[in-house]
Amino acid sequence: MLDVLTIGRVGVDIYPLQIGTPLADVETFGKFLGGSPTNVAVAASRQGLRAGVITRTGADAFGAYVHRALRDFGVDDSQVHPVDNLPTPVTFCEIFPPDDFPLWFYRTPTAPDLQIRPEELDADAIAAARVFWLTGTGLCQQPSRDAHAAALAVRAGRPHTVLGLDYRPMFWADPAAATAAVAEALPQVTVTVGNLDEVEIAVGTRDPERAAGLLLDRGPELAVVKLGPAGVLARTRTETVRVPPVPVTVVNGLGAGDAFGGALCLGLLRDWPLERTLRFANAAGAIVASRLACSAAMPDHAETEALARAAQSEPASSTAAVGGEDR
């Protein structure tokens, strides 16, 4: 039984080693494992959890690299298989700290990880995972959307079934299609995680407290709204907690949310108080934001705990929540 099992996007990140340089002028690059749910599995493994990923690669050299990287990170790759005639996706970015990191996804007309089919799923592994993590991107095309629906049916609403909203506009015909797909998934998950752009797509507002309430109205028991430089807000039906950010010098903000996700999984599984979970996850995200890579930058438990303790002097705000109604 895995502690954390994720499903969905994988690829190879080709990141410039020259910071502050337009992509057209970059001459040196580094190669890293990428893809949000894959990075969450890596982050969870680095926190000491048994993690695996369900995904697909091309039958190519980059696919072989994905397998090797997953094993090196201690992530179970037994549910990662090749798809013929489709290349393993690559992603390029530009790095302009502190907050400008444009991405170029090479995944057209489709990607292997969007070819996961319902009949290929290991239902026993999905049911047994202590945390099952899926993302909004996995809902953007068929047959992946049906595979995600089948996985949610297997989970049957058991804790902890997590939807990382992961909205990438280039993967959708229009925002309304993403909103509709997320609306179908929300009643079947117990936790949602997203930034302000993503919760706006999901529930139509950027106000974090109102967005969290609307998410809870649709079924989840915990809604986490990442506020970037303003920290993070999380809400259950009885509590609202807002935690300040951990100050760091940002090198590359990409991957920080996935580090947050892996650390969040640890807090959920250890049944920590919500404030402690958020502070710990914030610290993990901050560490990755201070580094160049995503997967290779994920911190271990001791490093994350040390930064979380050092940053604990910043007060959190905690209030009793009235409920999940639209306000």
Short mmCIF file of all heavy atoms in Angstrom, two decimals, residues 209-210 212-214 216-217 235 321-327:
data_model
loop_
_atom_site.label_atom_id
_atom_site.label_comp_id
_atom_site.label_asym_id
_atom_site.label_seq_id
_atom_site.Cartn_x
_atom_site.Cartn_y
_atom_site.Cartn_z
N GLU A 209 -11.39 33.71 0.94
CA GLU A 209 -12.32 33.12 1.91
C GLU A 209 -13.63 32.69 1.23
O GLU A 209 -14.17 31.62 1.51
CB GLU A 209 -12.59 34.09 3.05
CG GLU A 209 -11.38 34.28 3.95
CD GLU A 209 -11.78 34.67 5.37
OE1 GLU A 209 -12.91 34.36 5.78
OE2 GLU A 209 -10.95 35.29 6.04
N ARG A 210 -14.11 33.53 0.34
CA ARG A 210 -15.35 33.18 -0.36
C ARG A 210 -15.11 31.97 -1.28
O ARG A 210 -15.95 31.06 -1.36
CB ARG A 210 -15.85 34.36 -1.17
CG ARG A 210 -17.19 34.10 -1.86
CD ARG A 210 -17.84 35.39 -2.33
NE ARG A 210 -19.11 35.11 -2.97
CZ ARG A 210 -19.27 34.98 -4.29
NH1 ARG A 210 -18.22 35.13 -5.09
NH2 ARG A 210 -20.45 34.72 -4.80
N ALA A 212 -12.91 29.58 -0.86
CA ALA A 212 -12.81 28.38 -0.02
C ALA A 212 -14.19 27.92 0.41
O ALA A 212 -14.49 26.72 0.41
CB ALA A 212 -11.93 28.68 1.19
N GLY A 213 -15.06 28.86 0.77
CA GLY A 213 -16.42 28.49 1.16
C GLY A 213 -17.19 27.85 0.03
O GLY A 213 -17.90 26.85 0.23
N LEU A 214 -17.05 28.38 -1.16
CA LEU A 214 -17.74 27.82 -2.31
C LEU A 214 -17.22 26.42 -2.66
O LEU A 214 -17.99 25.54 -3.05
CB LEU A 214 -17.59 28.75 -3.52
CG LEU A 214 -18.37 30.07 -3.43
CD1 LEU A 214 -17.94 31.02 -4.54
CD2 LEU A 214 -19.87 29.80 -3.52
N LEU A 216 -16.01 24.29 -0.47
CA LEU A 216 -16.58 23.41 0.55
C LEU A 216 -18.05 23.09 0.25
O LEU A 216 -18.52 21.98 0.50
CB LEU A 216 -16.46 24.04 1.93
CG LEU A 216 -15.05 24.23 2.49
CD1 LEU A 216 -15.11 24.90 3.85
CD2 LEU A 216 -14.31 22.90 2.57
N ASP A 217 -18.77 24.06 -0.27
CA ASP A 217 -20.17 23.83 -0.62
C ASP A 217 -20.34 22.70 -1.64
O ASP A 217 -21.38 22.05 -1.70
CB ASP A 217 -20.78 25.10 -1.23
CG ASP A 217 -21.07 26.16 -0.20
OD1 ASP A 217 -21.07 25.84 1.01
OD2 ASP A 217 -21.28 27.32 -0.60
N ARG A 235 -9.45 26.26 4.78
CA ARG A 235 -10.74 26.32 5.47
C ARG A 235 -11.39 24.94 5.50
O ARG A 235 -11.38 24.21 4.50
CB ARG A 235 -11.65 27.31 4.76
CG ARG A 235 -12.96 27.58 5.46
CD ARG A 235 -13.67 28.73 4.80
NE ARG A 235 -15.01 28.89 5.35
CZ ARG A 235 -15.88 29.78 4.93
NH1 ARG A 235 -15.56 30.62 3.96
NH2 ARG A 235 -17.08 29.87 5.47
N ALA A 321 -15.09 28.96 11.57
CA ALA A 321 -15.86 29.16 10.34
C ALA A 321 -17.32 28.81 10.61
O ALA A 321 -17.61 27.85 11.32
CB ALA A 321 -15.29 28.30 9.21
N VAL A 322 -18.20 29.55 9.99
CA VAL A 322 -19.62 29.31 10.18
C VAL A 322 -20.08 28.14 9.32
O VAL A 322 -21.00 27.41 9.67
CB VAL A 322 -20.43 30.59 9.84
CG1 VAL A 322 -21.90 30.32 9.94
CG2 VAL A 322 -20.01 31.71 10.75
N GLY A 323 -19.42 27.92 8.21
CA GLY A 323 -19.82 26.83 7.31
C GLY A 323 -19.33 27.13 5.91
O GLY A 323 -18.58 28.06 5.70
N GLY A 324 -19.77 26.32 4.96
CA GLY A 324 -19.26 26.47 3.61
C GLY A 324 -20.17 27.24 2.68
O GLY A 324 -20.02 27.17 1.49
N GLU A 325 -21.11 27.98 3.23
CA GLU A 325 -22.09 28.65 2.36
C GLU A 325 -21.42 29.79 1.57
O GLU A 325 -20.41 30.34 1.95
CB GLU A 325 -23.23 29.23 3.18
CG GLU A 325 -24.04 28.19 3.93
CD GLU A 325 -23.41 27.81 5.25
OE1 GLU A 325 -22.51 28.54 5.69
OE2 GLU A 325 -23.81 26.79 5.81
N ASP A 326 -22.07 30.14 0.46
CA ASP A 326 -21.63 31.28 -0.35
C ASP A 326 -21.92 32.57 0.41
O ASP A 326 -23.06 32.87 0.73
CB ASP A 326 -22.43 31.23 -1.67
CG ASP A 326 -22.07 32.38 -2.59
OD1 ASP A 326 -21.17 33.14 -2.24
OD2 ASP A 326 -22.70 32.49 -3.64
N ARG A 327 -20.82 33.35 0.65
CA ARG A 327 -21.00 34.61 1.35
C ARG A 327 -20.32 35.73 0.58
O ARG A 327 -19.13 35.81 0.52
CB ARG A 327 -20.45 34.54 2.78
CG ARG A 327 -21.44 33.92 3.74
CD ARG A 327 -20.92 33.97 5.14
NE ARG A 327 -19.82 33.05 5.34
CZ ARG A 327 -19.96 31.75 5.53
NH1 ARG A 327 -21.16 31.22 5.58
NH2 ARG A 327 -18.92 30.96 5.70
#
